[in-house]
Amino acid sequence: LVHPAPDFMFYQAGDINEHRHLMKYELQRLQKDRPELRIHHYTIGNHQPPFPLDLNSTYALMSRSLLCPVMQGDLPWQHRFYDALVTGCVPLLVRYRKRNNNRMCDVWSYSSSSPPCIEDVYPFTAKVNYTEITVQIDESSFRKGSFAEAIYALDRRELEAKRKRLDELRHLFVYDWTSTSYDASSAMIEDLCRVINATASP
């Protein structure tokens, strides 16, 4: 990755739910009010091909960008989050406080009656502190007339530090088909052994 990031943000998604509709509106407002920011914004029509960019162009623009918003999809986990991690683009998420199994916890970019907590959604939590490589904006700011300002108010130096930390960890989310490096498969096997050993302990 190039540090600092040449571009500010990359966002490509379909306008298929209220969360992504709001994101599209606020991003257009941010582009209009802050034209100095280098923002790549593409909409996928009807959430189906043809897509605005091919895979290589998408990867290249994400790798150049500091932030990649990940808005709510059908499930708490979605490929956009991991696409951002792999390309070194810091995921921008909406933070909710929700109750799950009689405890309050953080939920990122997924609002439902009883969603899973982040520690139950993402892999390698014993190895990765996801707050170090992501940025969250509270749900109270996720509304028309507020979200663009909340994004602009983010500390750029803090975001660059997160991106550098992500650059150190993104190999954990890549599969090395040559099996010559510590990759996602290695981390997954290590995680499984840790769980099995903990379960087997008296």
Side-chain angles (χ1 to χ4, degrees):
L1 294 180
V2 176
H3 298 286
D7 302 333
F8 182 66
M9 182 179 291
F10 176 91
Y11 182 65
Q12 178 175 250
D15 188 12
I16 60 169
N17 60 38
E18 59 180 337
H19 303 270
R20 295 183 184 179
H21 181 74
L22 192 154
M23 181 64 208
K24 178 181 178 180
Y25 174 86
E26 287 297 291
L27 196 49
Q28 289 173 338
R29 199 163 63 82
L30 182 62
Q31 288 178 294
K32 179 181 178 180
D33 295 344
R34 303 291 180 179
E36 73 277 11
L37 297 178
R38 293 178 61 86
I39 297 175
H40 304 284
H41 181 199
Y42 302 92
T43 300
I44 301 174
N46 298 318
H47 206 56
Q48 295 178 356
F51 299 125
L53 300 171
D54 61 33
L55 184 61
N56 290 334
S57 298
T58 300
Y59 180 91
L61 287 177
M62 292 178 74
S63 298
R64 289 175 51 88
S65 300
L66 180 58
L67 291 174
C68 286
V70 179
M71 295 296 102
Q72 179 164 323
D74 296 328
L75 297 167
W77 48 87
Q78 50 182 308
H79 69 82
R80 287 175 181 81
F81 180 76
Y82 298 100
D83 291 343
L85 295 180
V86 167
T87 56
C89 187
V90 177
L92 170 64
L93 305 145
V94 178
R95 180 180 59 245
Y96 300 91
R97 288 292 291 173
K98 297 287 186 178
R99 181 172 297 279
N100 180 283
N101 293 330
N102 297 319
R103 64 183 173 122
M104 296 298 295
C105 64
D106 279 357
V107 177
W108 293 346
S109 289
Y110 192 76
S111 177
S112 68
S113 58
S114 183
C117 303
I118 58 170
E119 55 267 28
D120 299 324
V121 171
Y122 301 131
F124 319 140
T125 52
K127 189 180 296 291
V128 178
N129 180 354
Y130 284 92
T131 61
E132 293 182 347
I133 58 174
T134 64
V135 60
Q136 306 87 42
I137 294 179
D138 192 77
E139 62 174 310
S140 61
S141 296
F142 188 55
R143 59 190 63 193
K144 284 188 176 181
S146 298
F147 199 53
E149 284 75 13
I151 293 173
Y152 186 74
L154 293 169
D155 187 315
R156 187 68 68 91
R157 288 174 298 179
E158 181 180 334
L159 296 178
E160 288 290 354
K162 288 176 179 288
R163 187 168 184 265
K164 288 180 179 179
R165 179 59 175 153
L166 175 55
D167 198 7
E168 297 171 353
L169 294 174
R170 62 193 183 117
H171 66 278
L172 296 174
F173 306 98
V174 176
Y175 290 96
D176 177 9
W177 301 110
T178 66
S179 300
T180 58
S181 65
Y182 189 96
D183 65 348
S185 293
S186 309
M188 181 174 59
I189 292 171
E190 185 175 328
D191 244 18
L192 288 172
C193 291
R194 179 179 57 82
V195 172
I196 292 171
N197 289 335
T199 304
S201 299

